Amino acid sequence: MATERPAARPVNPRFSSGPCAKPPTFDLTKLSDAPLGRSHRAAEGKAKLLAAIERTREILGVPADYRIGIVPASDTGAFEMAMWSLLGARPAEMVAWESFGAGWVTDVAKQLRIEHTVHTAEYGEIVDMAALNYDNDVCFTWNGTTSGVRIPSGDVIPAGRKGLTLCDATSAAFAVDLPWDKLDVTTYSWQKVLGGEAAHGMLILSPRAVERLESYTPPWPLPKIFRLTKGGKLIEGIFTGATINTPSMLCVEDYLLALDWAEAVDGLPGLITRADANTAAVAAFVEAHDWIDFLARDPATRSNTSVCLKFTDTRIKDGAAFAKAVATRLADEGVALDIGAYRDAPPGLRIWCGATVETADIEAMLPWLAWAFETEISA
């Protein structure tokens, strides 16, 4: 029989894995300082963009000699900009254990067509990062948003590597203490852990990556939107707020507001603590119910942001239809929005547990998940 409908409801039912929930203190009126209708190249606009860069550096602990730039087209644009500008000088090690990593493989294999080796793992598993050849350039995602699997640490990446490491960190930045000395290119987007607005990406370059940019010219044409150098030198303005194209100053203001909130919750340590608490609440629920489990098989590789779950009850004959029905039931009740698994992932649910989500909302939503499961099984 179906369980009784829970009485409590989440205050905020938004558990989407991107765009993600806004910070708990978000209010549209707090964006009133955005320099709307002004040029982003005016002094006020450039100051806002530079502030976004430098406050990012401070909260994430990015070394002073690393460049940070705001670029177009979200994390996808940032990572493709890096691949198209940097790869080709050495063979590439392409690492994929979920859909976005697989997309980067497609870029290298079918578009750039450079010498490469592909390392893959099934959803829920992870590639052995120690087995890679770090004399080559290595492209990988830190946290698989569509699989709920993340790298447990960067310890296996050698300090004396000859190749560059290119890391898509879009669901990890602000939720993981990234080892900057092991990362030469790091990208992420605003709409993940800090709940910012979409369409803008962040590109972080180590001195080794800058050296590659200034000493290597790719054999393929580069569109203007990807060009990071001019006359063999890095375009420094990109990394001081002179963006390649026109950014949304409203989105910039929203990102600055999110950074304010991040500082108010004790910066990176506080953000990590909040995400870990959310994931722990889900883990306790999974432990108490034998019909659901994490997609990530090894607890050490479970994401603390994009938490992917699978139904394990043998009575379920059509996993995709069942998971969709549960997600729809929860959305119709207004208690959990946008928690269906990614379209290319195995059937199940995906619950965003990043720092902008309140643990109390996770705890209020989970009894509804039990109710929806039992109701759907009975149906």
Side-chain angles (χ1 to χ4, degrees), residues 215-234:
S215 63
Y216 166 69
T217 301
W220 43 78
L222 279 180
K224 178 182 178 181
I225 210 72
F226 281 3
R227 294 173 202 161
L228 294 168
T229 62
K230 185 175 183 180
K233 292 294 182 182
L234 190 73

Side-chain angles (χ1 to χ4, degrees), residues 11-326:
V11 174
N12 185 356
R14 294 170 178 84
F15 302 107
S16 163
S17 291
C20 301
K22 307 297 287 183
T25 58
F26 176 78
D27 188 324
L28 274 173
T29 62
K30 295 180 180 179
L31 303 181
S32 59
D33 196 39
L36 304 182
R38 295 290 310 278
S39 169
H40 62 294
R41 303 198 187 282
E44 185 178 2
K46 288 195 291 186
K48 295 274 189 182
L49 290 161
L50 181 59
I53 289 170
E54 290 307 318
R55 292 176 63 196
T56 294
R57 183 186 305 280
E58 180 181 353
I59 293 173
L60 289 182
V62 179
D65 58 351
Y66 278 50
R67 304 319 206 278
I68 303 175
I70 299 170
V71 299
S74 194
D75 175 67
T76 300
F79 202 79
E80 289 192 335
M81 179 183 294
M83 286 197 299
W84 284 68
S85 299
L86 290 162
L87 294 185
R90 292 174 176 270
E93 304 275 308
M94 302 303 297
V95 180
W97 53 78
E98 51 94 50
S99 58
F100 287 100
W104 309 142
V105 172
T106 298
D107 265 31
V108 165
K110 296 186 177 181
Q111 305 300 324
L112 301 181
R113 300 181 182 179
I114 63 174
E115 182 181 348
H116 67 280
T117 303
V118 179
H119 306 265
T120 61
E122 296 298 320
Y123 277 84
E125 302 285 355
I126 196 167
V127 169
D128 180 4
M129 297 295 289
L132 305 180
N133 180 1
Y134 288 92
D135 286 345
N136 296 336
D137 295 331
V138 179
C139 298
F140 64 98
T141 55
W142 190 281
N143 186 110
T145 309
T146 65
S147 68
V149 175
R150 70 175 182 182
I151 296 174
S153 78
D155 292 348
V156 299
I157 301 175
R161 62 192 177 276
K162 295 180 180 178
L164 299 179
T165 53
L166 285 73
C167 175
D168 172 357
T170 198
S171 291
F174 297 103
V176 171
D177 191 4
L178 294 168
W180 296 107
D181 60 323
K182 304 299 181 73
L183 306 178
D184 295 302
V185 177
T186 308
T187 66
Y188 71 89
S189 55
W190 294 349
Q191 73 263 29
K192 294 294 185 180
V193 179
L194 290 189
E197 290 303 298
H200 299 75
M202 299 297 281
L203 176 66
I204 303 176
L205 304 177
S206 74
R208 298 180 72 245
V210 173
E211 181 183 14
R212 169 74 66 83
L213 282 169
E214 295 185 335
S215 63
Y216 166 69
T217 301
W220 43 78
L222 279 180
K224 178 182 178 181
I225 210 72
F226 281 3
R227 294 173 202 161
L228 294 168
T229 62
K230 185 175 183 180
K233 292 294 182 182
L234 190 73
I235 303 174
E236 292 286 357
I238 295 172
F239 305 95
T240 59
T243 54
I244 294 174
N245 74 331
T246 305
S248 162
M249 296 311 298
L250 190 61
C251 291
V252 172
E253 194 71 23
D254 182 77
Y255 183 56
L256 290 171
L257 182 64
L259 292 171
D260 286 343
W261 173 79
E263 291 175 346
V265 298
D266 195 29
L268 183 60
L271 296 170
I272 293 172
T273 296
R274 288 176 63 89
D276 286 348
N278 291 337
T279 306
V282 176
F285 179 86
V286 170
E287 182 68 22
H289 297 82
D290 61 3
W291 44 263
I292 196 165
D293 200 359
F294 287 93
L295 185 59
R297 293 176 176 86
D298 181 357
T301 68
R302 288 176 188 162
S303 169
N304 67 340
T305 54
S306 181
V307 176
C308 296
L309 304 173
K310 60 182 179 181
F311 293 106
T312 58
D313 194 294
T314 57
R315 292 172 291 177
I316 300 170
K317 303 306 179 186
D318 186 337
F322 185 85
K324 183 177 180 180
V326 169

